Amino acid sequence: NRFSKDLSDIDLTVMWSLMSFGTVVFGAIIRILLVSWVTPPFAFSIVLVFFYWRIAKFYLASSREIKRLESVSNSPIYALFGEVLNGASTIRAFGAEKQFVDDIVKRVDANHRSFFYLFATKRWLTMRTAILSSVIVFISGISILMGNLSAGWAGLTFNFANQITSMINR
């Protein structure tokens, strides 16, 4: 079960993830260079990339383990379900339905517990990146106010800075 899910993930998501990663990285670099060229004080916000990197590193370490726990907790559910399907008549004959229902409820609860932890870590990451994104947009606004820019350049710069944050949050 776990092996087939891993192969499915590799076949279906890895290529799209690589393409998306390349698009996001290339787009973010171009936007950062353009905004830094128009408003040079914005170049100091590159320091925040270090914070993004630290948050991502912390998130990946914990997320990887929680995903492993979730995958491991899936297999007992499927195994018990197969056993119940094969031995349904025997289970009914001995009146052991409640025992199997209680067992499957415990296994599903264990699986949902790891799923909840995974959901909570994703919310943790979203909150931290949103805060850093707000700081980047704030720095962009301050850079625009410090520079003597026309309304067109200011709008372009602010729009691209906002796009950088949305690209990083993907």
Side-chain angles (χ1 to χ4, degrees):
N1 177 38
R2 183 180 160 118
F3 182 69
S4 65
K5 184 178 182 326
D6 290 345
L7 284 179
S8 173
D9 286 347
I10 289 171
D11 289 343
L12 297 177
T13 60
V14 169
M15 189 58 186
W16 292 110
S17 296
L18 287 175
M19 287 174 36
S20 177
F21 175 76
T23 303
V24 167
V25 168
F26 184 70
I29 289 171
I30 294 299
R31 284 172 175 79
I32 288 171
L33 290 176
L34 179 72
V35 173
S36 296
W37 177 68
V38 174
T39 55
F42 181 78
F44 293 112
S45 68
I46 300 299
V47 172
L48 295 176
V49 171
F50 171 75
F51 292 110
Y52 272 111
W53 177 74
R54 293 285 300 188
I55 288 170
K57 186 177 176 183
F58 186 76
Y59 168 76
L60 285 174
S62 59
S63 174
R64 185 178 304 122
E65 290 302 314
I66 294 171
K67 283 182 182 180
R68 184 188 60 78
L69 287 174
E70 184 189 19
S71 294
V72 167
S73 67
N74 267 339
S75 295
I77 295 170
Y78 291 125
L80 183 63
F81 186 70
E83 292 171 9
V84 168
L85 285 178
N86 289 333
S89 58
T90 307
I91 293 170
R92 269 190 243 118
F94 286 101
E97 295 95 348
K98 182 163 177 25
Q99 175 188 350
F100 280 94
V101 168
D102 291 344
D103 196 19
I104 202 157
V105 165
K106 288 178 188 174
R107 292 179 188 196
V108 170
D109 282 347
N111 181 261
H112 284 172
R113 193 175 310 118
S114 60
F115 179 77
F116 175 75
Y117 292 148
L118 186 62
F119 180 78
T121 57
K122 287 179 183 178
R123 294 296 102 209
W124 180 89
L125 175 69
T126 302
M127 185 176 162
R128 270 38 177 204
T129 56
I131 290 169
L132 283 176
S133 296
S134 298
V135 170
I136 287 177
V137 171
F138 179 75
I139 290 172
S140 171
I142 296 297
S143 300
I144 290 169
L145 293 175
M146 287 174 53
N148 193 9
L149 299 175
S150 68
W153 280 112
L156 177 79
T157 302
F158 196 73
N159 187 23
F160 271 27
N162 200 17
Q163 287 178 5
I164 292 168
T165 62
S166 67
M167 292 179 92
I168 290 174
N169 286 334
R170 282 191 200 172

